[in-house]
Amino acid sequence: MKKILLIGSTVADIIINLDHLPTTSADVNIVSQEMSLGGCAYNVSNMIHLFEVPYRLFSPVGTGLYGDFVRNQLAAKGLASPMPTPDQANGCCYCFVEEGGERTFVCDHGAEYLFYKEWFDTLKMEKVSSIYICGLEIEDKTGGTIVDFLEANSSIPLFFAPGPRICFIERTLVDRIFALHPIVHLNEDELCGFTGATALEEGAKALYALTENMVIVTHGAEGAYYYDGDEFIHVPPVKAVKVVDTIGAGDSHIGTVMACLAKGRTPYEAIKTANAVSSLVVGKKGATLSKDELTITI
């Protein structure tokens, strides 16, 4: 079976729990903090791994305290970065989680977001079934190198989860990605912010006109929607849960969708399963699930 290629970051998430975000000049105490493995590509890869679909995590790891942490954590999971160690420190992501579970990210970008042509030249693309990218790496200074690589492999299905950075990526790069007809995965705010639409269906149709491929929109407690060019379909949530934190919910959702589609499930079945997985993720601390915590099968 061919592998899903996941291009993106693996970072140290510093999760800081507090009652509420401080205002300017305020002085607050936190409830707790911890450091864990995160990053969009890693979070996606974890879900694909749990569903036992072959994949390759193509993620650079830099130097320094956070680079060492990421490298050691990956090694403990039997993973290693396929790239040489860049001569640059790894960054981290400060994840501020308020009492209600909503998260705010403050990121220090480092080597984990930079990609170079000679690294892509080592890939054996005949063994790749599909490709995943997010928006952070495209926004960074080597984003054009990633898009060059995607264009050179335009026959391979592409999944694009741009996240909230979709409005900050250079528009020419976004247009080049859309020309490759990716399946785009984003939430309501990201969709409406990019398209200027005031309704989900309107926004999904506007985005489909640019990509000519399925658009998947997550909508929190209401579940998710997708537009396939013919119908705008609602996929309801599996159940209501108490939100602990929302870190990694979107990554786990798209990772599950990709895993399910790779196993031959329909888009509706894939998104329904992803809704259930996301409910598990937001119901616990951190961005990923363990094998024991994944109580869903496909």
Side-chain angles (χ1 to χ4, degrees), residues 170-190:
E170 183 182 326
R171 184 56 193 255
T172 56
L173 292 179
V174 173
D175 289 341
R176 287 169 62 189
I177 292 172
F178 286 169
L180 300 173
H181 310 299
I183 291 177
V184 179
H185 181 280
L186 67 185
N187 66 28
E188 176 191 17
D189 290 341
E190 294 156 4

Side-chain angles (χ1 to χ4, degrees), residues 51 54 58 72 76 81 142 152 178 221 255 267 294 298:
F51 282 114
F58 199 67
N72 291 336
S81 173
T142 59
F178 286 169
L294 183 64
I298 57 172

Side-chain angles (χ1 to χ4, degrees), residues 167 188-199 202-203 206-207:
C167 294
E188 176 191 17
D189 290 341
E190 294 156 4
L191 174 71
C192 294
F194 180 77
T195 63
T198 57
E202 175 192 359
L207 190 51

Side-chain angles (χ1 to χ4, degrees), residues 8-251:
S9 64
T10 304
V11 305
D13 279 348
I14 302 173
I15 303 173
I16 302 170
N17 295 282
L18 70 175
D19 292 333
H20 58 83
L21 289 175
T23 57
T24 301
S25 78
D27 184 357
V28 301
N29 294 325
I30 68 171
V31 175
S32 63
Q33 69 173 344
E34 62 183 283
M35 187 157 64
S36 65
L37 202 59
C40 293
Y42 171 74
N43 295 341
V44 172
S45 76
N46 183 68
M47 289 315 311
I48 293 172
H49 169 73
L50 291 181
F51 282 114
E52 300 181 345
V53 173
Y55 71 95
R56 183 172 189 184
L57 178 60
F58 199 67
S59 186
V61 181
T63 60
L65 170 67
Y66 300 124
D68 290 343
F69 174 81
V70 169
R71 193 173 292 104
N72 291 336
Q73 290 291 307
L74 287 176
K77 297 176 180 295
L79 299 171
S81 173
M83 299 91 147
T85 301
D87 186 21
Q88 182 177 347
N90 225 79
C92 67
C93 181
Y94 299 95
C95 311
F96 296 92
V97 181
E98 297 178 81
E99 185 178 7
E102 190 54 77
R103 89 293 185 273
T104 300
F105 293 151
V106 178
C107 299
D108 174 20
H109 281 202
E112 70 274 20
Y113 290 102
L114 303 178
F115 291 77
Y116 300 98
K117 181 182 183 302
E118 56 268 28
W119 296 347
F120 289 106
D121 292 341
T122 66
L123 292 171
K124 297 179 180 179
M125 298 308 295
E126 69 275 8
K127 297 183 178 180
V128 173
S129 59
S130 61
I131 302 172
Y132 159 90
I133 57 169
C134 77
L136 291 164
E137 293 77 23
I138 305 301
E139 182 188 1
D140 223 311
K141 62 183 180 182
T142 59
T145 300
I146 299 174
V147 178
D148 290 342
F149 166 77
L150 297 175
E151 289 174 336
N153 296 278
S154 59
S155 63
I156 300 176
L158 176 63
F159 293 82
F160 182 33
R165 307 309 299 173
I166 187 171
C167 294
F168 300 90
I169 302 170
E170 183 182 326
R171 184 56 193 255
T172 56
L173 292 179
V174 173
D175 289 341
R176 287 169 62 189
I177 292 172
F178 286 169
L180 300 173
H181 310 299
I183 291 177
V184 179
H185 181 280
L186 67 185
N187 66 28
E188 176 191 17
D189 290 341
E190 294 156 4
L191 174 71
C192 294
F194 180 77
T195 63
T198 57
L200 292 185
E201 184 170 359
E202 175 192 359
K205 288 181 177 180
L207 190 51
Y208 183 92
L210 300 175
T211 64
E212 299 177 347
N213 205 343
M214 184 166 57
V215 176
I216 302 171
V217 187
T218 58
H219 199 221
E222 293 189 25
Y225 297 80
Y226 70 98
Y227 180 65
D228 61 5
D230 293 318
E231 296 181 279
F232 184 66
I233 299 170
H234 178 226
V235 185
V238 173
K239 61 179 180 178
V241 296
K242 176 177 172 56
V243 176
V244 175
D245 75 52
T246 58
I247 301 171
D251 299 332

